[in-house]
Amino acid sequence: MFYRENGQFKASYRADLALFPVAQDRRAVLALALVAFVAVPWLASDYTFRAVLIPFLVLSLAALGLNVLVGYCGQISLGTGAFMAVGAYAAFNLQVRIEGMPLLLSLIGGGLAATVCGVIFGLPSLRIRGLYLAVATLAAQFFIDWFVNRMPWVTNNSSSGSVSVGTLQLFGLPLETPAQRYLLCLSLVVVCGILTKNLVRGAIGREWMAMRDMDVAAAVIGIRPVHAKLTAFAVSSFIVGVAGALWGFVHLGAWEPAAFGIEKSFQLLFMIIIGGLGSIVGSFFGAAFIVLLPLLLNHVPHWLGLPLSTATASHLEHMIFGALIVFFLIVEPHGLARLWSTARQKLRLWPFPH
C-alpha cells in the first residue's frame, strides 16, 4: 500500500516516456536531491566530505562511464584507470599552460582528451571482442602509464613525477571548503547521470544493447557496429575522463601516476559487477559499497572492542571483495541493482501475494 499506482494514468506519449513515470519515484528523487543539495552541506562534517561523500561521487561518475561501455554495450575494458589519468593530466595541463583557464572548461577538456584516447583504443573493438578486447584495453593502461612517466611535459617537468593544483575557482568564486567541492562533484554527477539515462533510453542506447546481446544479429537488422561501439567508447571515456579530473583536482589535490594505476581499473570493474551491469543506479550502489566497506572494516571492530590491525582490515577487504564478486556472478549476476529492483517490485504488489 506504500507504493500504489492506482489512478496514475498516462494521457500522452510524453507522460508515458517520462524519466520517472511513477509519482512515488518522482517524489523520492526530488526528496533525495533536496537532502543532497541542501541538508548534507549543512550537516556533514569535513571528514565525511573528504573520506566518504566526495570519493563516493567521483567513483560513482567513473563507474557510470565504465557501465556505459561494459554494461550497456558489452565491450570489456580493463583500462579505465588510464582514461582517468588522461582526464586528470589533460585538465592539469590546461590549467598550467593557459592562464585564467576556467575550472569547468578544464574538466570538460580533460573529458574530451580522454574521449580521443578512448576512441583510438576502441578501434580494435571493431575486429576483436571478449578476452582479446580486454587485453587490448589493458594495453592502454600500460601505454598511458609509460607515457606519463616518460614524457616530462605531461607533469610540467616535475622531477618527482607528482603534480599539484592550486586554489580552485568556479565562476570567479574560490572552492575552499569541502562542502563547496562536494556541491561541484554532486552537480556534475547529476548532470552526467541524467544525460546518460536519456542516452540509454534512446536510439543510441538501444544500439548499444543490441550490440551487447548479439552483435551479428544487430548488424543484420541495420545497426552499424562501427558507430555503436565507437560512440560507447567515446561517451564512456568522456565521463571517465571528467571523473579522473575531479579525482585529481577535488579529491587528491596532488597526485602521481600511481594514483591511476591498474588497481583503479580493477576497482571500477568490481564496482559495476557488484552494483549491477547495465544499470545506472548500480553504478552508485557499487561505488557506495567500495567506499563504505573499508570504513566499516576499520571502525566496526573498534566499536565492538575487537583488536584489528590496519593490515588485517586491508586483507579482509580484498577477501570480501573477491567473495562478493563470486557470489554475485553465481547467485545474482545483475548485482545490487537487481535486488533493489526486486524490492521495488514487491512494494508495488504488497500486500497481495501475486
Side-chain angles (χ1 to χ4, degrees), residues 91-253:
F92 168 75
N93 277 274
L94 288 173
Q95 284 278 303
V96 170
R97 303 183 190 283
I98 302 178
E99 186 177 356
M101 185 69 174
L103 175 62
L104 194 58
L105 290 182
S106 298
L107 298 177
I108 295 174
L112 293 176
T115 300
V116 174
C117 291
V119 171
I120 292 173
F121 284 100
L123 290 174
S125 69
L126 307 178
R127 305 297 293 269
I128 59 178
R129 58 184 178 179
L131 181 62
Y132 301 99
L133 179 60
V135 174
T137 55
L138 185 62
Q141 180 72 55
F142 293 122
F143 175 78
I144 296 299
D145 288 345
W146 172 85
F147 188 83
V148 171
N149 284 295
R150 296 293 180 180
M151 300 296 171
W153 59 268
V154 175
T155 59
N156 198 27
N157 299 306
S158 172
S159 58
S160 62
S162 62
V163 298
S164 61
V165 295
T167 303
L168 302 181
Q169 290 187 349
L170 185 65
F171 303 118
L173 300 175
L175 299 176
E176 299 175 346
T177 65
Q180 293 172 334
R181 300 188 176 201
Y182 157 80
L183 288 174
L184 170 65
C185 295
L186 180 62
S187 302
L188 290 175
V189 168
V190 169
V191 170
C192 291
I194 293 175
L195 293 177
T196 304
K197 182 66 174 178
N198 283 286
L199 272 179
V200 300
R201 294 167 67 234
I204 295 177
R206 289 193 292 271
E207 289 183 357
W208 293 343
M209 289 181 277
M211 295 302 301
R212 174 195 65 191
D213 296 337
M214 190 173 291
D215 55 353
V216 176
V220 168
I221 64 175
I223 294 176
R224 296 169 294 170
V226 175
H227 179 266
K229 292 182 179 180
L230 291 187
T231 52
F233 269 97
V235 173
S236 171
S237 300
F238 177 81
I239 298 174
V240 169
V242 173
L246 285 175
W247 187 259
F249 276 58
V250 178
H251 178 56
L252 298 178

Side-chain angles (χ1 to χ4, degrees), residues 292-311:
L292 293 177
L293 180 61
L295 296 175
L296 290 176
L297 290 177
N298 287 330
H299 290 88
V300 170
H302 295 289
W303 294 340
L304 300 177
L306 300 175
L308 188 65
S309 64
T310 304

